[in-house]
Amino acid sequence: MAIPGETTGPTDAALFRDAVERAIRYLHDLPDRPVFPREGATNRLSELDLSLPDGPTDPRLVLALLDEIGSPATVASPGGRYFGYVIGGSLPAALAAHWLATAWDQNAVFRATSPVSAFVEDVALRWILEVLTLPPDWRGGFVTGTTMGHVAGLAAARHAVLERQGWDVERDGLFGAPPIRIVTSAHAHATLFRAARLIGLGDGRVVRVPVDEQGRMIPTRLPELDASTILCAQAGNVDGGSFDPLPELVDAARASGAWIHLDAAFGLWARATPRHAQLLRGLEDVDSCAADLHKWLNVPYDNGVILVRGSAANSLRSALRMQGAYFPEEDARDRGRWTPDASRRARGVDAWAALLSLGRSGLADLVERNCGFARRFAEGLASAGYSVLNDVVLNQVLVSFGSDTETQAVIEGIQADGTCWCSGTHWNGRAAMRISVCSWATTPDDVERSLESMLRIAERVRGGSITARGIDGRS
Ligand SMILES: *Cc1c(COP(=O)(O)O)cnc(C)c1O
């Protein structure tokens, strides 16, 4: 056991080298392990549940314990054959920059607390606007993910629609305020409703507009909008990847004075490619847009962005207002004035590294490659006789393997097999398996191996040798 202060501290090179070597080994082994950890590995997690010792533990032991017990119990989602939810990996440059910036341990709240963070985040934000061909007067900040992007965007919207009616919501709150209405699609993401609840707008008051068979909002079914409405559109349905018809929705919002907020959690990056940019026509006309960086930009968790148009910048600033006698004098580069957090890590550094390492062509190629893989999955499954339930417009595929019971059995079989990992959903009343392709690490070989395992397992289900656990009580 080490004496505290002797081997610990900022210059413990052996410890840090050990950490990096363990991380490298972990990443190296990812392709050869089951995508979801085996029960033996997750059972061992209880070995981390020690009684808190009275005295110190050697940092080398701390790290070894975490790696030896923790690493085998991780999900191989940074690898190339994880297609569950919408996750994405970490680009090497983004991961490496993240490690270095963790060593910096900067507080990115003010320029005064970290000039480098403020500067690099400014550049990253500018690059994001450039790859999206958005005007340079747009503003924004780095948040933990789309959920907090929604909170910030809806708070800005709340400020704007109430200010028009002479109500100062930051001072007086919502008690006695004129009512605000959120209008969104019946397929809006769960986090939008969470954000609505958090900022006091209530999810029960949200008006849900019907969607077509692809999950796109039907503009002719919009209720009457007005200047106290916040219209929330979606770019990239979390199941099928479809896009709400943004130009029509923007027109309806503009004509009525409503605020328009966009959930572009992963769909945002379609705009960075020649082939798919048209899916995001109208982006330049929304008031606010929340998106993830940890999904398709492939930076480590947790990372997202809130973007607002130039004329909406003041609403976001007002909504996030923060004063303190001990705060430094305000500086245009104070990024903490553009996010709901105060103290936080410099998330924009990871985005800066990802964008620099990819370049415009690399980003477009990452997105296009993943979309091509999604089409390959759809084609391979359809030609084997299974039903692809969505138009594969982006990176998401929904497939049915027959009855709901059979689809469920195939999903469970694939998850147990460990070659790849997919999750399930319900789409237009049918059970479906979701395939989400959004990692730089996925190769054509990963796609073929995964497709082979899906077809092999589906064939066994069709032949009756596997049945679903939860649904079919016999197995
Ligand atoms: C993932 C996702 C969200 C939520 O993003 P978090 O990063 O989990 O906060 C919101 N909307 C859509 C469409 C998503 O895919």
Side-chain angles (χ1 to χ4, degrees):
M1 186 71 49
I3 299 162
E6 201 168 74
T7 59
T8 59
T11 54
D12 192 343
L15 175 69
F16 297 139
R17 254 183 225 116
D18 188 27
V20 169
E21 267 153 30
R22 287 177 186 276
I24 293 169
R25 205 176 314 136
Y26 172 78
L27 294 170
H28 180 264
D29 292 347
L30 269 182
D32 302 318
R33 45 166 292 189
V35 177
F36 199 84
R38 300 283 187 219
E39 216 167 271
T42 49
N43 285 343
R44 285 197 66 192
L45 286 172
S46 58
E47 293 174 44
L48 298 177
D49 184 11
L50 309 158
S51 52
L52 182 64
D54 287 330
T57 304
D58 184 338
R60 285 168 299 190
L61 279 179
V62 172
L63 183 70
L65 190 62
L66 187 66
D67 183 33
E68 279 150 35
I69 307 298
S71 294
T74 58
V75 176
S77 47
R81 294 188 309 281
Y82 186 87
F83 308 108
Y85 307 101
V86 182
I87 298 280
S90 282
L91 286 159
L95 179 59
H98 186 89
W99 285 344
L100 181 62
T102 299
W104 289 353
D105 193 22
Q106 300 287 285
N107 184 347
V109 59
F110 298 126
R111 199 181 83 90
T113 54
S114 178
V116 62
S117 304
F119 194 89
V120 175
E121 289 203 327
D122 250 18
V123 175
L125 205 57
R126 199 186 79 229
W127 286 353
I128 289 171
L129 298 179
E130 282 176 13
V131 294
L132 299 173
T133 61
L134 287 172
D137 68 337
W138 277 50
R139 293 288 174 267
F142 294 95
V143 290
T144 48
T146 298
T147 304
M148 286 314 288
H150 287 332
V151 168
L154 293 183
R158 185 182 67 169
H159 170 92
V161 301
L162 287 175
E163 187 186 44
R164 282 179 208 142
Q165 300 177 71
W167 189 267
D168 182 343
V169 67
E170 283 76 39
R171 187 187 63 200
D172 298 326
L174 288 169
F175 304 99
I180 301 178
R181 193 178 44 154
I182 294 184
V183 174
T184 191
S185 92
H187 271 206
H189 195 266
T191 54
L192 187 77
F193 298 97
R194 170 185 273 187
R197 286 194 296 275
L198 272 173
I199 67 160
L201 299 180
D203 62 11
R205 304 169 67 108
V206 175
V207 179
R208 302 181 193 214
V209 181
V211 293
D212 65 17
E213 78 296 340
Q214 295 297 324
R216 296 173 295 220
M217 204 190 297
I218 303 172
T220 54
R221 304 289 297 276
L222 278 174
E224 191 87 27
L225 307 181
D226 59 28
S228 63
T229 304
I230 304 169
L231 176 62
C232 297
Q234 180 165 257
N237 180 296
V238 77
D239 281 325
S242 69
F243 287 64
D244 285 344
L246 202 51
E248 278 107 309
L249 299 176
V250 162
D251 285 348
R254 284 286 162 266
S256 60
W259 179 286
I260 180 160
H261 172 77
L262 184 68
D263 177 346
F266 62 96
L268 185 69
W269 306 103
R271 175 103 166 182
T273 75
R275 181 173 176 153
H276 289 95
Q278 98 287 350
L279 288 169
L280 264 161
R281 262 191 315 126
L283 174 67
E284 59 284 356
D285 294 319
V286 304
D287 294 300
S288 55
C289 171
D292 278 314
L293 303 175
H294 51 223
K295 286 180 182 167
W296 223 351
L297 189 61
N298 280 216
V299 303
Y301 284 98
D302 41 31
N303 216 330
V305 72
I306 173 66
L307 302 172
V308 293
R309 61 188 296 108
S311 59
N314 195 44
S315 297
L316 182 63
R317 278 294 303 268
S318 302
L320 301 176
R321 195 167 66 209
M322 173 175 76
Q323 275 143 355
Y326 71 98
F327 285 179
E329 202 163 310
E330 194 165 332
D331 186 289
R333 287 218 157 106
D334 286 350
R335 300 251 54 98
R337 302 188 193 271
W338 297 96
T339 72
D341 308 289
S343 303
R344 62 181 179 89
R345 66 175 292 124
R347 298 190 187 100
V349 169
D350 304 7
W352 178 90
L355 288 167
L356 182 59
S357 78
L358 289 169
R360 288 172 191 270
S361 64
L363 177 60
D365 182 56
L366 163 61
V367 172
E368 287 300 349
R369 212 165 59 232
N370 285 171
C371 293
F373 291 154
R375 293 193 297 273
R376 167 68 188 131
F377 274 122
E379 176 243 320
L381 291 161
S383 63
Y386 302 107
S387 316
V388 174
L389 304 181
N390 65 319
D391 291 347
V392 181
V393 294
L394 200 67
N395 64 324
Q396 303 284 118
V397 183
L398 300 175
V399 56
S400 161
F401 292 96
S403 68
D404 287 2
T405 313
E406 286 168 321
T407 298
Q408 186 59 34
V410 174
I411 295 169
E412 286 170 10
I414 287 168
Q415 293 180 352
D417 176 64
T419 304
C420 66
W421 203 91
C422 296
S423 55
T425 190
H426 281 268
W427 187 253
N428 293 337
R430 288 176 79 178
M433 185 175 86
R434 310 167 70 255
I435 304 171
S436 176
V437 195
C438 48
S439 177
W440 72 278
T442 301
T443 63
D445 179 57
D446 285 323
V447 174
E448 297 311 318
R449 276 178 67 188
S450 301
L451 190 56
E452 183 280 322
S453 94
M454 291 172 190
L455 295 175
R456 169 169 46 83
I457 287 154
E459 206 42 54
R460 276 160 59 198
V461 168
R462 208 149 52 172
S465 65
I466 314 182
T467 48
R469 247 177 301 154
I471 295 173
D472 186 327
R474 288 167 306 174
S475 53

